[in-house]
PDB file of all heavy atoms in Angstrom:
ATOM      1  N   ILE A  78      21.805  30.664  16.698  1.00 97.00           N
ATOM      2  CA  ILE A  78      22.185  31.654  17.689  1.00 97.00           C
ATOM      3  C   ILE A  78      23.587  32.165  17.458  1.00 97.00           C
ATOM      4  O   ILE A  78      24.412  31.245  17.188  1.00 97.00           O
ATOM      5  CB  ILE A  78      22.035  31.031  19.104  1.00 97.00           C
ATOM      6  CG1 ILE A  78      20.610  30.637  19.448  1.00 97.00           C
ATOM      7  CG2 ILE A  78      22.566  32.005  20.214  1.00 97.00           C
ATOM      8  CD1 ILE A  78      20.337  30.193  20.806  1.00 97.00           C
ATOM      9  N   ALA A  79      23.880  33.473  17.608  1.00 95.00           N
ATOM     10  CA  ALA A  79      25.154  33.860  17.198  1.00 95.00           C
ATOM     11  C   ALA A  79      25.962  33.891  18.634  1.00 95.00           C
ATOM     12  O   ALA A  79      26.895  32.893  18.579  1.00 95.00           O
ATOM     13  CB  ALA A  79      25.064  35.417  16.879  1.00 95.00           C
ATOM     14  N   ASN A  80      25.764  34.726  19.545  1.00 95.00           N
ATOM     15  CA  ASN A  80      26.649  34.719  20.780  1.00 95.00           C
ATOM     16  C   ASN A  80      26.249  33.721  21.836  1.00 95.00           C
ATOM     17  O   ASN A  80      25.934  34.205  22.909  1.00 95.00           O
ATOM     18  CB  ASN A  80      26.641  36.123  21.272  1.00 95.00           C
ATOM     19  CG  ASN A  80      25.191  36.703  21.524  1.00 95.00           C
ATOM     20  OD1 ASN A  80      24.191  36.270  20.770  1.00 95.00           O
ATOM     21  ND2 ASN A  80      24.958  37.435  22.644  1.00 95.00           N
ATOM     22  N   ARG A  81      26.047  32.517  21.441  1.00 95.00           N
ATOM     23  CA  ARG A  81      25.573  31.559  22.535  1.00 95.00           C
ATOM     24  C   ARG A  81      26.432  31.445  23.680  1.00 95.00           C
ATOM     25  O   ARG A  81      26.014  31.174  24.829  1.00 95.00           O
ATOM     26  CB  ARG A  81      25.275  30.169  21.883  1.00 95.00           C
ATOM     27  CG  ARG A  81      26.504  29.591  21.258  1.00 95.00           C
ATOM     28  CD  ARG A  81      26.229  28.296  20.469  1.00 95.00           C
ATOM     29  NE  ARG A  81      25.451  27.230  21.298  1.00 95.00           N
ATOM     30  CZ  ARG A  81      25.053  26.055  20.755  1.00 95.00           C
ATOM     31  NH1 ARG A  81      25.193  25.882  19.456  1.00 95.00           N
ATOM     32  NH2 ARG A  81      24.427  25.308  21.505  1.00 95.00           N
ATOM     33  N   ASP A  82      27.757  31.652  23.546  1.00 95.00           N
ATOM     34  CA  ASP A  82      28.620  31.566  24.582  1.00 95.00           C
ATOM     35  C   ASP A  82      29.181  32.848  25.201  1.00 95.00           C
ATOM     36  O   ASP A  82      30.007  32.884  26.120  1.00 95.00           O
ATOM     37  CB  ASP A  82      29.848  30.687  24.190  1.00 95.00           C
ATOM     38  CG  ASP A  82      29.558  29.223  24.005  1.00 95.00           C
ATOM     39  OD1 ASP A  82      28.749  28.647  24.802  1.00 95.00           O
ATOM     40  OD2 ASP A  82      29.861  28.586  22.988  1.00 95.00           O
ATOM     41  N   GLN A  83      28.612  33.911  24.595  1.00 94.00           N
ATOM     42  CA  GLN A  83      28.901  35.154  25.100  1.00 94.00           C
ATOM     43  C   GLN A  83      27.627  36.033  25.361  1.00 94.00           C
ATOM     44  O   GLN A  83      27.304  36.996  24.555  1.00 94.00           O
ATOM     45  CB  GLN A  83      29.755  35.986  24.127  1.00 94.00           C
ATOM     46  CG  GLN A  83      31.249  35.365  23.784  1.00 94.00           C
ATOM     47  CD  GLN A  83      31.150  34.317  22.683  1.00 94.00           C
ATOM     48  OE1 GLN A  83      30.131  34.413  21.900  1.00 94.00           O
ATOM     49  NE2 GLN A  83      32.121  33.375  22.669  1.00 94.00           N
ATOM     50  N   PRO A  84      26.782  35.569  26.289  1.00 95.00           N
ATOM     51  CA  PRO A  84      25.437  36.196  26.441  1.00 95.00           C
ATOM     52  C   PRO A  84      25.617  37.647  26.944  1.00 95.00           C
ATOM     53  O   PRO A  84      26.675  38.092  27.472  1.00 95.00           O
ATOM     54  CB  PRO A  84      24.819  35.367  27.505  1.00 95.00           C
ATOM     55  CG  PRO A  84      25.887  34.806  28.210  1.00 95.00           C
ATOM     56  CD  PRO A  84      27.016  34.550  27.322  1.00 95.00           C
ATOM     57  N   LEU A  85      24.624  38.500  26.482  1.00 95.00           N
ATOM     58  CA  LEU A  85      24.606  39.836  26.979  1.00 95.00           C
ATOM     59  C   LEU A  85      23.780  39.913  28.224  1.00 95.00           C
ATOM     60  O   LEU A  85      22.808  39.172  28.494  1.00 95.00           O
ATOM     61  CB  LEU A  85      23.870  40.856  25.956  1.00 95.00           C
ATOM     62  CG  LEU A  85      24.639  41.095  24.619  1.00 95.00           C
ATOM     63  CD1 LEU A  85      23.761  41.346  23.536  1.00 95.00           C
ATOM     64  CD2 LEU A  85      25.749  42.191  24.855  1.00 95.00           C
ATOM     65  N   ASN A  86      24.283  40.694  29.212  1.00 92.00           N
ATOM     66  CA  ASN A  86      23.581  40.743  30.510  1.00 92.00           C
ATOM     67  C   ASN A  86      22.408  41.702  30.481  1.00 92.00           C
ATOM     68  O   ASN A  86      21.647  41.641  31.401  1.00 92.00           O
ATOM     69  CB  ASN A  86      24.621  41.231  31.579  1.00 92.00           C
ATOM     70  CG  ASN A  86      25.668  40.236  31.808  1.00 92.00           C
ATOM     71  OD1 ASN A  86      25.478  39.000  31.399  1.00 92.00           O
ATOM     72  ND2 ASN A  86      26.683  40.613  32.538  1.00 92.00           N
ATOM     73  N   ASP A  87      22.344  42.521  29.450  1.00 92.00           N
ATOM     74  CA  ASP A  87      21.174  43.400  29.406  1.00 92.00           C
ATOM     75  C   ASP A  87      20.864  43.635  27.899  1.00 92.00           C
ATOM     76  O   ASP A  87      21.399  43.037  26.984  1.00 92.00           O
ATOM     77  CB  ASP A  87      21.614  44.816  30.052  1.00 92.00           C
ATOM     78  CG  ASP A  87      22.960  45.194  29.434  1.00 92.00           C
ATOM     79  OD1 ASP A  87      23.088  45.064  28.241  1.00 92.00           O
ATOM     80  OD2 ASP A  87      23.826  45.918  30.155  1.00 92.00           O
ATOM     81  N   SER A  88      19.865  44.569  27.729  1.00 91.00           N
ATOM     82  CA  SER A  88      19.422  44.728  26.417  1.00 91.00           C
ATOM     83  C   SER A  88      20.085  45.892  25.712  1.00 91.00           C
ATOM     84  O   SER A  88      19.554  46.736  25.075  1.00 91.00           O
ATOM     85  CB  SER A  88      17.826  44.968  26.436  1.00 91.00           C
ATOM     86  OG  SER A  88      17.412  45.787  27.430  1.00 91.00           O
ATOM     87  N   SER A  89      21.373  46.068  25.938  1.00 93.00           N
ATOM     88  CA  SER A  89      22.071  47.121  25.372  1.00 93.00           C
ATOM     89  C   SER A  89      22.849  46.695  24.112  1.00 93.00           C
ATOM     90  O   SER A  89      23.641  47.352  23.494  1.00 93.00           O
ATOM     91  CB  SER A  89      23.063  47.666  26.451  1.00 93.00           C
ATOM     92  OG  SER A  89      24.058  46.686  26.693  1.00 93.00           O
ATOM     93  N   GLY A  90      22.658  45.332  23.674  1.00 94.00           N
ATOM     94  CA  GLY A  90      23.406  44.860  22.580  1.00 94.00           C
ATOM     95  C   GLY A  90      23.037  45.459  21.231  1.00 94.00           C
ATOM     96  O   GLY A  90      21.926  45.945  21.037  1.00 94.00           O
ATOM     97  N   VAL A  91      23.987  45.355  20.374  1.00 95.00           N
ATOM     98  CA  VAL A  91      23.793  45.851  18.982  1.00 95.00           C
ATOM     99  C   VAL A  91      24.399  44.700  17.968  1.00 95.00           C
ATOM    100  O   VAL A  91      25.592  44.149  18.326  1.00 95.00           O
ATOM    101  CB  VAL A  91      24.488  47.184  18.715  1.00 95.00           C
ATOM    102  CG1 VAL A  91      24.364  47.607  17.256  1.00 95.00           C
ATOM    103  CG2 VAL A  91      23.898  48.259  19.584  1.00 95.00           C
ATOM    104  N   PHE A  92      23.710  44.503  16.982  1.00 96.00           N
ATOM    105  CA  PHE A  92      24.179  43.565  15.992  1.00 96.00           C
ATOM    106  C   PHE A  92      24.471  44.470  14.701  1.00 96.00           C
ATOM    107  O   PHE A  92      23.505  44.921  14.230  1.00 96.00           O
ATOM    108  CB  PHE A  92      22.997  42.525  15.785  1.00 96.00           C
ATOM    109  CG  PHE A  92      23.546  41.262  14.871  1.00 96.00           C
ATOM    110  CD1 PHE A  92      24.703  40.611  15.248  1.00 96.00           C
ATOM    111  CD2 PHE A  92      22.793  40.902  13.795  1.00 96.00           C
ATOM    112  CE1 PHE A  92      25.144  39.514  14.536  1.00 96.00           C
ATOM    113  CE2 PHE A  92      23.342  39.735  13.013  1.00 96.00           C
ATOM    114  CZ  PHE A  92      24.442  39.064  13.404  1.00 96.00           C
TER     115      PHE A  92
END
Side-chain angles (χ1 to χ4, degrees):
I78 295 186
N80 55 323
R81 63 189 300 180
D82 290 315
Q83 300 86 20
L85 290 154
N86 293 345
D87 51 36
S88 47
S89 65
V91 174
F92 192 51

